[in-house]
């Protein structure tokens, strides 16, 4: 079921912003890369090349991309360019990614040397931005043989972890305002007030995608330990049916609901963390959450089309479109919910790919056919 759903989804996919380079399309690209790497099926790679090529003009420029907007979100889809360069050896892909790397050279930073989320969000670090920029920075650095970029990315990541961590809750807050200028920022800590699940999901995915690119050693062990601590905490916050709430630690809120993009992100995170050397048991929690997501939120609409439901369309902090987003529990519960938004579908592709990899690993380790582990319910579908 899931492979058919993904194939139909990507076949009919329309660029999120009319073809302009944007992070939403990058979420799909991450899903396609994961599926291709897990299955080896050429169709996923063909879709990726078709869609990415449609966002590069005849001069090799990214369509709609303006470096001086200093929008950290625009960095994410660049990971597809680095992947295609690594896969094909063709220089044109890395050349197309070069402006994104140049943006990171001059992108505004906090006094602690972490990127502002965007030029229009000055002095602010958002968890979203850590995922958007830093795995790309590590991957591009490896492709371009720039080891100092890797070192800088790791310093930025660990600094941001320290600044956004809420020790009492053992979670990370969505935003941090170094200047303490925003109404949403606590005057003492600079942190936003609530724990939005998807923002923690972005961070969780950044953890494993960075760890994957590091050699064995102290830095990798340290990040693995911090990721494991996060995994333990989010597993403790699961709903009874193995999903996660929009405001992850507030089950007492009557309007709170299991949110699909965060559930998919955490499923991916937990399974991949186990594959990269984290505790083996967290993989089971990740598989169970994907199975629950499929069982509860994959439903046919009136037109008979299968869709993934209960995806928060977008959430942020500060002023936007005439509205001030104050980062409270009530704010996060007020945002639009949409079916089939790519911010949920892309991570679900990634989570499913991890389930396939885990299944392949279990089968390869089985000496006798009767000892082979069966596919999970999600993988069977």
């Amino acid at each position: 079921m899931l492979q058919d759903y993904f194939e139909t989804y990507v076949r009919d996919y329309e660029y999120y912003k009319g073809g302009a380079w944007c992070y939403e399309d990058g979420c799909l690209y991450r899903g396609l890369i994961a599926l291709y790497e897990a299955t080896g099926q050429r169709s996923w790679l063909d879709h990726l090349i078709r869609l990415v090529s449609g966002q590069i003009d005849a001069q090799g420029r990214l369509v709609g991309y303006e470096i001086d907007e200093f929008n950290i979100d625009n960095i994410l889809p660049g990971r597809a360019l680095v992947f295609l360069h690594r896969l094909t050896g063709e220089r044109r892909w890395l050349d197309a990614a070069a402006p994104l790397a140049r943006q990171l050279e001059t992108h505004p930073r906090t006094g602690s040397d972490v990127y502002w989320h965007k030029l229009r969000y000055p002095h602010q670090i958002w968890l979203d931005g850590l995922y958007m920029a830093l795995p790309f920075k590590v991957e591009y650095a490896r492709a371009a043989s720039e080891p100092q970029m890797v070192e800088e990315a790791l310093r930025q990541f660990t600094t941001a972890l320290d600044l956004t961590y809420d020790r009492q809750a053992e979670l990370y807050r969505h935003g941090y305002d170094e200047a303490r200028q925003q109404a949403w920022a606590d005057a003492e800590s600079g942190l936003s007030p609530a724990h939005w699940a998807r923002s923690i999901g972005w961070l969780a995915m950044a953890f494993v995608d960075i760890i994957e690119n590091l050699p064995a050693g102290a830095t990798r062990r340290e990040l693995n330990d911090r990721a494991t601590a996060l995994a333990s905490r989010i597993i403790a916050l699961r709903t009874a049916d193995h999903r996660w709430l929009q405001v992850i630690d507030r089950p007492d809120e009557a309007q709170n609901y299991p949110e699909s993009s965060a559930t998919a992100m955490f499923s991916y995170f937990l399974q991949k963390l186990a594959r990269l050397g984290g505790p083996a048991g967290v993989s089971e929690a990740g598989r169970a959450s994907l199975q629950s997501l499929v069982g509860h939120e994959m439903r046919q609409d009136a037109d008979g089309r299968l869709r993934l439901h209960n995806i928060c369309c977008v959430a942020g902090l500060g002023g936007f479109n005439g509205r001030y987003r104050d980062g409270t529990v009530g704010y996060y519960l007020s945002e639009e919910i949409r079916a089939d938004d790519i911010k949920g579908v892309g991570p679900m592709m990634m989570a499913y790919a991890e389930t396939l990899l885990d299944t392949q690993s279990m089968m390869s380790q089985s000496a006798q056919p009767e000892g082979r582990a069966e596919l999970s319910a999600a993988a069977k579908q």
Side-chain angles (χ1 to χ4, degrees):
M1 177 183 73
L2 279 182
Q3 293 221 35
D4 291 341
Y5 165 73
F6 294 145
E7 175 62 35
T8 300
Y9 185 95
V10 69
R11 182 197 67 203
D12 297 342
Y13 185 78
E14 297 181 1
Y15 293 119
Y16 204 90
K17 293 177 179 172
W21 192 253
C22 65
Y23 85 92
E24 291 91 347
D25 296 335
C27 293
L28 178 61
Y29 301 160
R30 293 302 304 157
L32 290 171
I33 290 168
L35 288 172
Y36 175 68
E37 291 186 322
T39 67
Q41 293 178 13
R42 176 74 196 197
S43 61
W44 303 122
L45 179 61
D46 289 342
H47 282 306
L48 178 69
I49 293 173
R50 169 180 61 85
L51 289 165
V52 173
S53 297
Q55 293 187 301
I56 302 174
D57 68 17
Q59 288 72 45
R61 297 172 303 197
L62 305 176
V63 174
Y65 171 73
E66 299 291 342
I67 192 170
D68 57 5
E69 287 182 356
F70 293 110
N71 182 339
I72 209 77
D73 289 342
N74 288 334
I75 304 300
L76 173 63
R79 295 179 66 189
L81 302 171
V82 178
F83 169 79
L84 289 170
H85 170 261
R86 184 171 71 248
L87 186 70
T88 67
E90 295 178 13
R91 183 72 194 187
R92 65 189 177 102
W93 299 114
L94 200 61
D95 289 344
L100 303 172
R102 287 198 298 272
Q103 176 185 325
L104 294 183
E105 291 176 3
T106 56
H107 194 99
R109 305 179 187 212
T110 64
S112 54
D113 199 37
V114 181
Y115 295 124
W116 291 5
H117 188 60
K118 297 179 185 179
L119 184 62
R120 60 190 177 93
Y121 297 127
H123 312 291
Q124 298 167 44
I125 300 169
W126 295 11
L127 299 184
D128 323 23
L130 304 180
Y131 178 71
M132 302 300 165
L134 297 183
F136 167 85
K137 188 170 181 174
V138 171
E139 291 168 2
Y140 182 90
R142 293 181 65 194
S145 299
E146 299 281 355
Q148 74 282 0
M149 287 181 64
V150 177
E151 295 171 4
E152 184 179 64
L154 294 173
R155 286 197 303 271
Q156 291 176 310
F157 189 59
T158 55
T159 298
L161 291 176
D162 292 340
L163 291 173
T164 57
Y165 189 59
D166 175 355
R167 293 185 180 278
Q168 183 174 357
E170 299 179 271
L171 291 169
Y172 296 85
R173 298 285 180 91
H174 184 184
Y176 165 78
D177 175 17
E178 177 184 61
R180 278 50 167 192
Q181 293 176 341
Q182 294 299 312
W184 53 257
D186 180 82
E188 182 176 346
S189 69
L191 295 175
S192 56
H195 299 108
W196 179 37
R198 187 160 79 215
S199 70
I200 302 171
W202 292 124
L203 175 65
M205 295 196 300
F207 260 117
V208 289
D209 288 3
I210 290 173
I211 290 170
E212 181 179 35
N213 284 282
L214 299 180
T219 300
R220 180 165 175 151
R221 287 195 299 272
E222 178 187 348
L223 288 185
N224 197 302
D225 288 346
R226 296 181 82 153
T228 297
L230 176 60
S232 177
R233 181 63 177 133
I234 64 173
I235 288 173
L237 291 170
R238 286 180 300 179
T239 63
D241 59 17
H242 304 286
R243 292 182 289 165
W244 285 274
L245 300 173
Q246 166 77 337
V247 181
I248 192 170
D249 57 346
R250 293 299 301 273
D252 55 307
E253 287 289 334
Q255 300 303 312
N256 213 350
Y257 63 94
E259 199 277 323
S260 294
S261 69
T263 297
M265 289 176 178
F266 290 141
S267 174
Y268 168 74
F269 163 65
L270 293 169
Q271 294 182 83
K272 188 169 183 176
L273 179 62
R275 179 166 65 83
L276 295 177
V282 302
S283 182
E284 182 179 351
R287 292 194 305 273
S289 63
L290 177 60
Q291 182 176 343
S292 181
L293 180 62
V294 171
H296 286 91
E297 300 297 352
M298 295 293 296
R299 302 190 297 274
Q300 286 185 337
D301 279 356
D303 60 3
R305 184 167 183 137
L306 195 65
R307 298 187 187 277
L308 176 64
H309 290 263
N310 266 343
I311 304 169
C312 174
C313 179
V314 69
L317 296 164
F320 183 71
N321 285 344
R323 177 189 186 193
Y324 193 84
R325 302 168 297 180
D326 64 6
T328 60
V329 173
Y331 158 68
Y332 289 117
L333 299 181
S334 73
E335 280 289 7
E336 177 188 355
I337 299 171
R338 180 185 296 173
D340 267 2
D341 190 282
I342 190 55
K343 294 181 286 293
V345 178
M348 187 166 73
M349 291 176 169
M350 296 156 63
Y352 177 65
E354 286 296 325
T355 296
L356 294 177
L357 289 172
D358 186 57
T359 298
Q360 293 164 13
S361 177
M362 288 190 293
M363 293 180 68
S364 68
Q365 293 172 10
S366 299
Q368 300 296 329
E370 62 268 22
R372 290 178 179 175
E374 295 183 355
L375 293 174
S376 70
K380 284 180 179 179
Q381 296 172 323

